[in-house]
Amino acid sequence: MNERIKAEIKSLLEDLESDRIERTISTTNTDKFGQVICAFANDLPNHQKPGFLFIGVLDNGEIQGVDVTDDLLKNLAAIRTDGNIQPQPSMTVEKISMPEGDIVMIKVDPSIFPPVRYKGRIWIRTGPRRGVANENDEYLLMEKRRTNVKSFDSSACLNATIDDLDLRLFKHYFLPKAMSDEELEAESKSNNDIRYQLSVFGFFDVLHDCPTNAAMLFFGTNLRRFIPGAYVQYVRFAGKDRAGDILTEHEFKGNLCTVLPELDTFIKTTIANRRPIPVSALREESIVDYPDWATRELLMNAICHRDYTSHGPIQFYQFDDRIEIMNHGGLYGRANEENFPNVNDYRNIVVAEAMKVLGFVNRHSRGVLRVQKELIANENGEAVYDFGYQTAVIVCEKKSPLGERMTATAIANGFLLENGEIRSNSAISDQKPPKKPSKKPPKKPPKMNVSAFPSKIVEDVFNALNLNPKAKYSWLVDNLGVSERTILRAISDLKTLGYINAEHSKVKGVWQLLKK
């Protein structure tokens, strides 16, 4: 490092601690580091200059020095990608050798997509102090986001109005996952404006008074009217190419709050093809053609990163020997064929944040690496990415030969018949005799038919608890617009009807609902 740079660092250290400079001698206070990095990324005063966190320096600027190891630098760098700071900040971690001793300098650039959150809270700096942003601070940060370059998902959907959104999904499904109970209560008391609440998460454009494209993707009631290509087309072909007969097809259409859980279930129950294969007279092993987590991750990545300006759907095609997922939109931003998958970038930053909130992506830049590991373990081989289409990416996941090999072995060993049925002589020999049937007739479970609800409010309360199992009475009152007495009556009716566990209605703050 040349003397000029050292002199600049020395001047920063000797200057007063400000909203761009933080000093500490601790090397283990990860929460403090995360809050400081979050605050620098938000750049509330709009300096449009980086902030600096110096480790190994006293508050008065005196260098004390620390033992700078590789592990320390790795741990500090991991703060950026551990998932606690969203969206991820742009930062560098560097060891600086000064005459008085070694220090660590973390340089954080202002985010172009504020507000940045650390563990769900928006941290800012006012002078040398840091704290949690208030409503005015959040509004200023949202204004900064709107003035920066907008992605398609963060842009206004000018032909839509707030009436085109299913606000119940936002209130009862998204918000409880995005905010803690305490934050929800504080938010309901401080600001009940639904437009403001949507705008905090990038779902509403205040300037144009309309939802963003991301809001339409997650909560739109007629999504394809506004974004025609926003659906997943599944086709099962007979054979090994598209010339084969179509055995079955299905369109997963609708907003992402509805479609993402449907796809999750479809992959687990249909695509994975999980089944038991006997490996001895007393033991079976469960095998799958396609590991459900890996397939799910590949499909969720396609939904997260696709180009939604294209009118074509995501193609989710299954053949006899493989699955192909074609995603409109090539590699984006800093990602290219040489550095993929180690370098990641986001075409749809609001969609990526919202999918993480709902638990469908992790944003740790390691999903593809985990996919490859799971596929290899299941003998599928690595997923193959084809970037040769320029405006699209195709990923191919091969079918595992494990099931066919184990089935052939089980037939050869006499545990299975040719038609796949288990042979009768392979039953467990020491199986205990069945218990004699009880003379007492079994108790009939309560009928769980929606028509059994005695009133509309009872049904509304049950649906609300399904969406937010941690709901408090105050939350139900605010969102359903009825008195607490009415809520208590409805809860009592649900217990009587058997929709809620009468003895233990709540366990650790979670309503114990019985399935319909």
Side-chain angles (χ1 to χ4, degrees), residues 20-312:
R20 289 186 54 226
I21 300 172
E22 174 83 18
R23 309 180 183 100
T24 183
I25 59 172
S26 171
T27 60
T28 58
N29 195 343
T30 306
D31 269 339
K32 177 182 179 180
F33 301 158
Q35 294 166 10
V36 171
I37 291 168
C38 176
F40 285 156
N42 279 319
D43 185 28
L44 183 64
N46 204 28
H47 293 303
Q48 298 183 18
K49 295 180 180 179
F52 296 90
L53 170 60
F54 293 101
I55 299 174
V57 181
L58 297 172
D59 288 340
N60 61 6
E62 179 183 345
I63 296 177
Q64 178 172 301
V66 293
D67 182 17
V68 181
T69 64
D70 286 342
D71 286 340
L72 174 61
L73 295 176
K74 288 178 182 178
N75 291 337
L76 293 172
I79 296 175
R80 176 181 181 271
T81 57
D82 64 7
N84 288 322
I85 304 181
Q86 296 293 339
Q88 290 181 3
S90 175
M91 56 177 271
T92 59
V93 180
E94 188 176 0
K95 172 185 175 181
I96 307 294
S97 295
M98 303 294 285
E100 299 88 344
D102 293 339
I103 63 173
V104 177
M105 181 180 74
I106 301 178
K107 176 185 174 184
V108 184
D109 293 317
S111 173
I112 62 172
F113 291 110
V116 177
R117 297 169 184 267
Y118 175 72
K119 292 186 176 179
R121 293 180 178 272
I122 301 171
W123 290 88
I124 59 168
R125 285 180 74 89
T126 51
R129 301 185 62 183
R130 69 181 180 278
V132 178
N134 59 31
E135 292 174 22
N136 290 332
D137 299 329
E138 286 190 36
Y139 181 80
L140 291 173
L141 291 172
M142 289 302 301
E143 283 291 301
K144 286 179 62 179
R145 176 187 284 237
R146 284 189 287 271
T147 59
N148 292 328
V149 178
K150 289 190 174 182
S151 57
F152 172 80
D153 60 337
S154 64
S155 301
C157 188
L158 296 175
N159 296 326
T161 70
I162 199 168
D163 294 330
D164 292 307
L165 303 180
D166 185 345
L167 296 178
R168 285 175 61 88
L169 278 176
F170 175 69
K171 289 181 179 178
H172 303 318
Y173 181 59
F174 183 85
L175 273 185
K177 294 177 182 293
M179 305 174 74
S180 65
D181 290 347
E182 292 75 15
E183 289 174 318
L184 281 172
E185 281 197 36
E187 186 72 21
S188 64
K189 291 176 182 178
S190 62
N191 198 325
N192 273 321
D193 183 2
I194 189 66
R195 287 172 169 80
Y196 167 77
Q197 293 176 341
L198 287 164
S199 70
V200 168
F201 297 97
F203 294 138
F204 198 81
D205 189 301
V206 178
L207 179 63
H208 298 95
D209 192 33
C210 66
T212 62
N213 290 314
M216 301 308 300
L217 285 169
F218 281 89
F219 315 112
T221 55
N222 189 2
L223 175 59
R224 287 176 65 179
R225 173 189 165 197
F226 300 95
I227 309 177
Y231 66 102
V232 177
Q233 180 188 65
Y234 169 78
V235 180
R236 174 64 170 99
F237 291 94
K240 298 182 179 181
D241 56 43
R242 300 188 186 188
D245 293 336
I246 294 177
L247 301 180
T248 184
E249 61 178 328
H250 182 72
E251 288 185 358
F252 293 90
K253 52 190 176 182
N255 58 60
L256 292 181
C257 282
T258 303
V259 166
L260 294 179
E262 288 179 358
L263 285 169
D264 195 9
T265 302
F266 179 71
I267 290 169
K268 290 178 181 177
T269 58
T270 304
I271 301 299
N273 191 23
R274 186 177 300 275
R275 60 211 184 269
I277 302 292
V279 295
S280 73
L282 303 177
R283 188 167 65 87
E284 295 176 343
E285 283 189 12
S286 180
I287 58 99
V288 293
D289 292 336
Y290 303 97
D292 50 89
W293 187 90
T295 307
R296 172 188 184 271
E297 183 74 7
L298 293 174
L299 189 56
M300 294 303 162
N301 281 347
I303 293 170
C304 180
H305 295 290
R306 73 155 291 174
D307 178 4
Y308 282 99
T309 63
S310 168
H311 291 181

Side-chain angles (χ1 to χ4, degrees), residues 271-272 288-292 295 321-323 380 397-399:
I271 301 299
V288 293
D289 292 336
Y290 303 97
D292 50 89
T295 307
D321 61 341
R322 71 192 186 281
I323 285 173
N380 296 77
E397 178 185 356
K398 296 178 182 178
K399 181 179 177 181

Side-chain angles (χ1 to χ4, degrees), residues 242 324 326-327 329-330 337 385-394:
R242 300 188 186 188
E324 287 184 358
M326 190 182 83
N327 177 27
E337 291 187 44
Y385 288 83
D386 187 347
F387 302 109
Y389 294 86
Q390 295 185 345
T391 59
V393 173
I394 290 183

Side-chain angles (χ1 to χ4, degrees), residues 8-20:
E8 290 176 357
I9 294 172
K10 191 71 173 176
S11 66
L12 288 172
L13 294 176
E14 292 173 351
D15 196 3
L16 294 174
E17 197 165 62
S18 66
D19 50 18
R20 289 186 54 226

